Amino acid sequence: MSELRHPPGTFDVLPADSAPWEGLIRAFARVVEAAGYGLILTPTFEDLAVFKRVGESTDVVRKEMYDFEDKGGRHIALRPEMTASVARAFIQHRPPLPWKSWYAGSNFRYERPQAGRFREFHQVGIEAFGSADPDLDVEVMSLGWEFYTAAGITRRELLLNSLGDGTCRPAYRALLLAYLESHRDELCEEHQIRLEENPLRVLDCKKPACQKVVAGAPRQLDHLCDDCAAHFARVKNGLGALQIPYTVDSKLVRGLDYYTRTTFEYAGLGLESAQNALGGGGRYDGLVSAMGGPDTPGVGFALGVERILLAVEAEGGTDRLAAGRGLDVFVVDFGGSGGDAGRDLTALLRAAGLRADRAFDGRSPKAQFKAADRSGARLALVVGPDEAAGGTVAIKDLQTSADQVSVPVADVVAEVRQRLG
RNA sequence: GUGGCCGUAGCUCAGAUGGUUAGAGCGCCAGGUUGUGGCCCUGGAGGUCGGGGGUUCAAGUCCCCUCGGUCACCCCA
C-alpha cells in the first residue's frame, strides 16, 4: 500500500479504462460542433466571487465550495460548475453575439463522496449567450437529447419547467412564501428555518412533510407573466416539432439560483434516484448583468460524465463509445541488427500514419509475441536475421493466425494497409 | 458535516475459538519451444497483514486512536 494516493473523492482513469471517456467526449464534440458551438477553455479555479453569483442560498455556495486562500492572499475556489466561469469569460472578453461555446472538464464540490458523486467530477456542456429566442432553448435541449442518443442512452426523460422572470417571479415568490408560511409548522425542520431564504427550494424538498404541503401550493406555471407564458409555449411547441418527448414538472427548481424562465433536467431511468440526474440546465438571462456585465441573455446545460457512463453501463456497456482505438501493427524484432531493424521499421510505419507499437529490451520472441497479442494489434511485423538478409519483413495476422508472409521492406506499408482493409 | 459497513500480494479474496517460516486464484516474469502470441505444464518474483498505540509469553486475529475506501442522509452532476 503506497503512502501516496489520490485525494479523497478523486480517482484515476488508467489508459486501459479511458476509452469510454475519450469516446464520450468525442461524441459530444461531434454533436455540438455540428451546431456551431466552439470549444472554450477557462481556468479550473477562479476568484471565489465568480461563483458566489450562482446564489448565496444554494448548497453549492453554502457548503460545497472547494475554496482556499492562495499565496497572494486571493480567495480562490475550484470551479463547482462551468456556467459562471463562461459568463465571467464572456464579460471579460465581450465576443460578438450570439456566442456559442462547449466545454469538457473537471468540477469540484467539497462533500463526502458516494456512488456516482465525487469531489472532482466531470462535465461536458454548452452555453449560448446573446439571444432570448425560445428556439435557442429548444436547440440547446435538443442537442443534449441528441447526444444521449449518440452515447447509447435511450432510457432517459426530459423534465421541463419555467421559473418565470424578473417580472413574474417575485410576485410568485411572494405568493408561494405566503402560502408556505401559513403551513410553516408542517414543513421539515430545515425549511422551517430557511424558508425566507429561498422558498422555491421547498418545492423540490424530498421530505414527505414538505411534499405534502407543496402538493397544495400555487404553481409558478399558473402565474407566469404574458411574455414568460409565450416563451414557454414556444419552447414546448419547438420540442414537439422536433419530436423530443418531455414532461412538464412544475416542481423542478434546480440547485442554482441564476435560472430564469426555462429550466430542464435529463433524468436517467435506469439509475438509482440518488444519482439519476444525468444533466441539467436552463436559461439565465439575469446572470451576466448580475456579474457586472451588459444585460445579456443566455441558456445552456451541463451533463455529468460519471453519470452518463453509469447510464451507458446500465444500458448494455460502453463498447460503442470505445470503438476506434487500438493498434494496427506491433513490431517484433528477433535481433541480428542490434535493434536497428525494429526501431527503423516502427518509425517508418508511424510516419506512414499507421498506429504502431513495439517491444523494447530485446526480449525473447515468445515475450515479444505475447506483448503483440496483448497490445490488441491486428498484425505482427517480424524482423530478424533472416529478414535482414533478404531485405524483407514477415507479416503475421494475429487474429487469424494464418501463415505469415514475407514482403520486401519497400512494400510493407502498402501490404499492411491492404490487410487492414 | 452525521451515520453503517470494510481495509491481508498489482487485482479478487481465504486465513473458527489469538499460537511456529501469512495462503489461493487471476495477473506479471522465466523455462518447457536456440525465430513465433492466445491453450497447457513447471518454476519464480511480489506482503512494514492501511498506520500508530495498547493488552498478552505470543496479535493478521482482541481493545483504543487515526488514515483511507465504500454506502446512506442532505443535495446534486
Side-chain angles (χ1 to χ4, degrees):
Chain A
M1 206 69 64
S2 171
E3 298 269 323
L4 271 18
R5 304 179 43 86
H6 57 244
T10 66
F11 55 88
D12 302 309
V13 182
L14 304 183
D17 306 312
S18 65
W21 290 76
E22 192 179 358
L24 187 152
I25 290 166
R26 280 190 185 153
F28 185 76
R30 189 161 14 86
V31 169
V32 298
E33 288 191 343
Y37 292 76
L39 176 65
I40 183 171
L41 271 44
T42 66
T44 304
F45 57 88
E46 301 265 3
D47 191 294
L48 177 69
V50 170
F51 304 117
K52 286 213 162 181
R53 306 304 169 85
V54 310
E56 297 280 3
S57 75
T58 64
D59 285 342
V60 169
V61 170
R62 236 175 54 224
K63 58 182 194 185
E64 296 174 358
M65 202 66 82
Y66 208 128
D67 63 326
F68 54 90
E69 187 172 296
D70 74 7
K71 290 178 181 175
R74 288 171 283 260
H75 198 165
I76 296 296
L78 302 181
R79 61 186 181 208
E81 56 112 37
M82 290 286 290
T83 304
S85 287
V86 175
R88 193 231 79 228
F90 170 78
I91 293 164
Q92 184 174 336
H93 301 287
R94 300 287 186 89
L97 299 173
W99 188 61
K100 306 208 290 192
S101 62
W102 74 271
Y103 53 77
S106 292
N107 295 281
F108 305 83
R109 291 185 196 171
Y110 198 90
E111 61 178 348
R112 289 282 290 272
Q114 119 188 216
R117 215 181 297 195
F118 302 89
R119 285 187 175 171
E120 177 176 15
F121 61 102
H122 300 78
Q123 289 185 332
V124 293
I126 60 177
E127 310 291 348
F129 289 77
S131 171
D133 191 333
D135 285 358
L136 182 58
D137 305 33
V138 173
E139 171 177 294
V140 166
M141 283 186 271
S142 71
L143 287 172
W145 191 258
E146 186 186 334
F147 165 67
Y148 287 125
T149 303
I153 299 171
T154 58
R155 302 188 55 214
R156 85 290 203 193
E157 65 175 339
L158 172 60
L159 302 174
L160 179 67
N161 192 23
S162 175
L163 263 30
D165 64 4
T167 303
C168 53
R169 177 133 65 143
Y172 169 70
R173 188 191 145 110
L175 194 64
L176 178 66
L177 185 56
Y179 169 81
L180 293 173
E181 276 176 337
S182 69
H183 294 78
R184 189 181 206 106
D185 52 355
E186 299 166 42
L187 297 174
C188 74
E189 199 175 334
E190 159 93 7
H191 286 113
Q192 290 195 22
I193 297 166
R194 316 192 68 90
L195 181 55
E196 283 76 11
E197 203 169 307
N198 188 349
L200 264 46
R201 298 228 44 91
V202 179
L203 293 178
D204 69 352
C205 180
K206 293 197 178 74
K207 298 258 170 55
C210 283
Q211 281 300 303
K212 201 174 168 194
V213 174
V214 165
R219 305 185 336 143
Q220 171 78 70
L221 289 178
D222 298 328
H223 300 273
L224 294 177
C225 61
D226 290 349
D227 287 348
C228 285
H231 187 99
F232 193 53
R234 176 73 188 173
V235 166
K236 289 191 288 188
N237 175 269
L239 290 172
L242 295 181
Q243 298 186 308
I244 295 172
Y246 61 90
T247 303
V248 173
D249 180 356
S250 64
K251 297 197 299 260
L252 182 67
V253 172
R254 314 238 354 105
L256 306 169
D257 284 352
Y258 52 61
Y259 289 118
T260 54
R261 294 188 169 172
T262 308
T263 57
F264 58 93
E265 184 169 308
Y266 302 102
L269 300 175
L271 300 175
E272 296 297 320
S273 67
Q275 58 262 356
N276 73 347
L278 295 177
R283 182 163 275 288
Y284 40 83
D285 294 344
L287 179 63
V288 172
S289 57
M291 290 177 73
D295 193 3
T296 309
V299 59
F301 66 62
L303 314 180
V305 175
E306 289 81 1
R307 297 287 170 81
I308 294 167
L309 258 15
L310 280 175
V312 174
E313 202 65 62
E315 286 202 38
T318 55
D319 290 355
R320 60 175 296 163
L321 280 175
R325 289 220 312 190
L327 292 170
D328 297 319
V329 299
F330 195 95
V331 174
V332 171
D333 185 345
F334 287 166
S337 68
D340 291 1
R343 179 195 65 201
D344 296 346
L345 177 60
T346 305
L348 175 79
L349 294 161
R350 289 175 182 166
L354 292 164
R355 294 175 294 189
D357 198 4
R358 52 165 295 198
F360 293 94
D361 302 314
R363 303 224 282 152
S364 71
K366 176 171 176 164
Q368 291 194 51
F369 265 95
K370 202 166 184 173
D373 188 46
R374 275 197 296 254
S375 77
R378 173 78 186 281
L379 304 172
L381 299 199
V382 187
V383 291
D386 296 351
E387 287 74 17
T392 62
V393 172
I395 301 179
K396 176 172 183 172
D397 190 315
L398 291 168
Q399 285 171 23
T400 66
S401 295
D403 289 344
Q404 61 193 54
V405 298
S406 203
V407 302
V409 174
D411 299 339
V412 167
V413 171
E415 183 67 23
V416 166
R417 284 225 172 87
Q418 197 202 327
R419 281 165 181 276
L420 291 173

